[in-house]
Amino acid sequence: AQTVTQSQPEMSVQEAETVTLSCTYDTSESDYYLFWYKQPPSRQMILVIRQEAYKQQNATENRFSVNFQKAAKSFSLKISDSQLGDAAMYFCAYRTSNTGNQFYFGTGTSLTVIP
Amino acid sequence: GAVVSQHPSRVICKSGTSVKIECRSLDFQATTMFWYRQFPKQSLMLMATSNEGSKATYEQGVEKDKFLINHASLTLSTLTVTSAHPEDSSFYICSARITTGNSPLHFGNGTRLTVT
């Protein structure tokens, strides 16, 4: 299994401010996909953003953007203009490019948004 | 689109009994589905990859005889927890993806299993 590491178990941010969540991964593959998922208290997993490893350009989805550093095997998530609804567990995920296409998840970061 | 339905959302069973959890892709065909287990405040642990029409592939350390997976059609996979024990109590989540490019995983709402 691939290893995905999130070194920040908990983070907090003031409403309207910016926060960055860290993620690193270990792989010998050159082609793969990376994702950030959000899990609110309902426990429903919600896709936040995705990145293909072969793309150098960092993905952006509205207030969410990533900083993908392939050589460093780093994939951080930046949330701008944080909103109360952003409070959740955030999981970084790695998808292999082999036949199984399995997804492996990091340990998660619990984000608190302070009003 | 890409909705995954999981049933039941909650189940309580007695030790020694078996419990079946269903996972359906409602508006797409899924040749592959994935079953995860999540302990409180922890990450999702991949248990197995369910392949339509063939045997599931289990991750290391997951007992295939305890967690039976059947993927009989392109829209349905089932996970049966056999001879359940209290330590099997957990949150189980199924997922599936449309098999194109960078398509993400779509998740069911999960099943909270409590074994008494």
Side-chain angles (χ1 to χ4, degrees), chain A residues 54-81:
Chain A
Y54 62 83
K55 289 188 177 179
Q56 292 185 338
Q57 185 173 4
N58 290 323
T60 299
E61 287 285 343
N62 300 314
R63 297 183 295 107
F64 300 89
S65 61
V66 299
N67 183 3
F68 174 48
Q69 301 291 327
K70 190 172 184 179
K73 297 179 183 176
S74 171
F75 182 61
S76 61
L77 173 70
K78 186 171 80 171
I79 306 174
S80 304
D81 186 25

Side-chain angles (χ1 to χ4, degrees), chain B residues 27-46:
Chain B
D27 51 1
F28 67 101
Q29 293 183 332
T31 55
T32 304
M33 292 185 178
F34 303 94
W35 287 94
Y36 289 87
R37 181 173 182 176
Q38 186 179 31
F39 291 102
K41 298 186 178 181
Q42 293 191 26
S43 186
L44 281 73
M45 181 192 77
L46 179 63

Side-chain angles (χ1 to χ4, degrees), chain A residues 31-97:
Chain A
D31 188 23
Y32 49 87
Y33 300 87
L34 297 165
F35 302 80
W36 277 97
Y37 280 86
K38 166 184 176 181
Q39 188 181 41
S42 68
R43 303 196 78 169
Q44 175 66 50
M45 295 290 285
I46 301 167
L47 176 68
V48 175
I49 199 165
R50 75 188 85 176
Q51 173 82 41
E52 296 90 337
Y54 62 83
K55 289 188 177 179
Q56 292 185 338
Q57 185 173 4
N58 290 323
T60 299
E61 287 285 343
N62 300 314
R63 297 183 295 107
F64 300 89
S65 61
V66 299
N67 183 3
F68 174 48
Q69 301 291 327
K70 190 172 184 179
K73 297 179 183 176
S74 171
F75 182 61
S76 61
L77 173 70
K78 186 171 80 171
I79 306 174
S80 304
D81 186 25
S82 297
Q83 300 175 0
L84 295 178
D86 295 334
M89 280 291 289
Y90 284 81
F91 292 100
C92 175
Y94 173 103
R95 198 202 100 191
T96 69
S97 58

Side-chain angles (χ1 to χ4, degrees), chain B residues 9-86:
Chain B
S9 57
R10 290 177 180 268
V11 59
I12 301 172
C13 71
K14 293 185 182 296
S15 290
T17 61
S18 295
V19 173
K20 180 184 285 188
I21 303 170
E22 292 189 348
C23 181
R24 296 180 184 272
S25 56
L26 297 186
D27 51 1
F28 67 101
Q29 293 183 332
T31 55
T32 304
M33 292 185 178
F34 303 94
W35 287 94
Y36 289 87
R37 181 173 182 176
Q38 186 179 31
F39 291 102
K41 298 186 178 181
Q42 293 191 26
S43 186
L44 281 73
M45 181 192 77
L46 179 63
M47 298 176 65
T49 303
S50 172
N51 305 298
E52 187 269 335
S54 64
K55 291 182 179 180
T57 304
Y58 290 82
E59 294 295 301
Q60 191 172 9
V62 178
E63 299 177 61
K64 62 181 181 180
D65 294 330
K66 173 171 233 356
F67 299 100
L68 300 179
I69 291 173
N70 184 276
H71 195 152
S73 76
L74 288 172
T75 59
L76 173 64
S77 174
T78 60
L79 168 67
T80 301
V81 183
T82 63
S83 187
H85 289 147

